[in-house]
Amino acid sequence: MRFCRGRAARVSRVALAALAAALLTLAAPAAGLSPAPLGRWITAPGPGRAPAVRIWGGDTQSAEFLAYAPEFTGGVYIAGGEFDGEPGSEIVTGPDAGGGPHVRVFGINGTPRFEFMAYAPSFTGGVRVAAGDVDGDGSQEIIVGPGPGGGPHVRVLRTDGSPVVEFMAFDPKFTGGVFVAAGDFDFDGTSEIVVAAGAGGGPHVRIFRVTCNGGGCHAAETASFYAYDPSFRGGVHVAVQTFQSGRHVVTGAGAGGAPHVRVFTAGGVPTGLQFLAFAPEFRGGVMVSVGAGGAGDILTGAGPGGGPHVRTFGSDGLSAAYGFYAYEPTFAGGVRVTVGGYPPPT
């Protein structure tokens, strides 16, 4: 696949080793921590478990529902959405590899709202999901990226499955999958789309802006950068966070690398904020999300091979104030996490 030719963002082995040593105590599991009161935590399991999505308020699980048939154990991707005018009021789900491209939207307590096939029904690589108002019409759309086995075909779809825009995020020959996120970087009322290569591709992150006119909608790249050393092939997970200085891209390394979280400006420049979300020796990857409304804390979930451990870090990356196990601690398929709805349920 093609990558940007600009200077790659590199972290030296010496610097990373120092970072690991400094955070070794911080990164150890902390089962006694409680979930943060930042709205409703929403979790979904990785591969190896029934597709039970859980909603948490404070330190209490308030609801649970099956996103797909109970016999499907391939894992679930999730995102918070705003499709009825209330912030974080819906949950978008997509199956992981082994499931068809079946996107579903649920109310915050698990009531089914919408569903559609994001790609051809025969595709079984799974689908990654995000939500944002990409075309500026005042309603959020669903952004999807394929899992392994499909081309890097990103689509923006309405809740009825009709397309707004679609494009190839990377070289069409790349079949490692695409991770997606969305955020309004320039505060103009429309969301840009963040894409990152899945396993097998370099740690390449790109940002696209969608413009619409009488001839339809079109996506154009606004930034392109490497989140980690270009030789890393584990893929990159992405989210968008709001800081006082603007909105930034949060990245989490995929499987094979240390659980390294980094933060970049909308132009791909490292902000200097980076940390290890879990113990340095963990190599299952780290999922990333952000606090309610995209503000404040960075949420992390362990990838496959780790327990279902969710941790939240302050905007300095050094204060792991909250954390919990979203499923039984013996489950080793990993966990995906997002936040929706504010304030927490009572």
Side-chain angles (χ1 to χ4, degrees), residues 13-105:
R13 289 186 175 88
V14 173
L16 187 55
L19 179 66
L23 295 177
L24 180 58
T25 301
L26 174 66
L33 297 175
S34 298
L38 295 173
R40 298 175 176 91
W41 296 79
I42 304 164
T43 62
R49 195 183 189 282
V53 175
R54 291 181 172 178
I55 298 96
W56 307 76
D59 59 358
T60 304
Q61 180 187 330
S62 62
E64 176 178 313
F65 64 90
L66 293 179
Y68 301 99
E71 59 268 22
F72 175 68
T73 59
V76 180
Y77 287 102
I78 52 174
E82 303 175 15
F83 306 110
D84 62 1
E86 297 183 11
S89 56
E90 279 99 12
I91 302 166
V92 185
T93 68
D96 203 340
H102 189 190
V103 173
R104 305 190 73 190
V105 179

Side-chain angles (χ1 to χ4, degrees), residues 41-286:
W41 296 79
I42 304 164
T43 62
R49 195 183 189 282
V53 175
R54 291 181 172 178
I55 298 96
W56 307 76
D59 59 358
T60 304
Q61 180 187 330
S62 62
E64 176 178 313
F65 64 90
L66 293 179
Y68 301 99
E71 59 268 22
F72 175 68
T73 59
V76 180
Y77 287 102
I78 52 174
E82 303 175 15
F83 306 110
D84 62 1
E86 297 183 11
S89 56
E90 279 99 12
I91 302 166
V92 185
T93 68
D96 203 340
H102 189 190
V103 173
R104 305 190 73 190
V105 179
F106 298 86
I108 195 65
N109 289 316
T111 303
R113 297 288 306 279
F114 314 102
E115 58 186 299
F116 56 85
M117 291 291 183
Y119 301 99
S122 59
F123 177 64
T124 59
V127 59
R128 290 81 181 260
V129 293
D133 183 6
V134 169
D135 59 4
D137 66 353
S139 298
Q140 287 198 344
E141 290 80 42
I142 297 169
I143 301 139
V144 298
H153 185 191
V154 171
R155 307 187 75 200
V156 178
L157 305 165
R158 301 178 183 91
T159 54
D160 63 0
S162 60
V164 174
V165 68
E166 48 195 299
F167 58 93
M168 290 292 180
F170 300 104
D171 189 301
K173 296 187 292 294
F174 177 64
T175 59
V178 180
F179 289 97
V180 291
D184 182 7
F185 290 101
D186 53 9
F187 298 93
D188 67 348
T190 61
S191 294
E192 283 73 47
I193 300 170
V194 183
V195 300
H204 193 193
V205 177
R206 303 178 76 188
I207 301 176
F208 290 84
R209 177 180 294 123
V210 174
T211 56
C212 299
N213 51 41
C217 296
H218 308 276
E221 180 188 283
T222 63
S224 178
F225 60 95
Y226 290 104
Y228 304 98
D229 189 287
S231 64
F232 178 63
R233 291 292 183 268
V236 183
H237 308 129
V238 286
V240 177
Q241 185 186 39
T242 301
F243 290 88
Q244 289 184 345
S245 58
R247 291 198 170 109
H248 296 162
V249 178
V250 181
T251 67
H260 190 191
V261 176
R262 301 188 74 195
V263 179
F264 298 83
T265 69
V269 178
T271 66
L273 174 56
Q274 58 180 325
F275 59 91
L276 298 182
F278 303 100
E281 61 271 17
F282 178 64
R283 291 294 186 270
V286 55

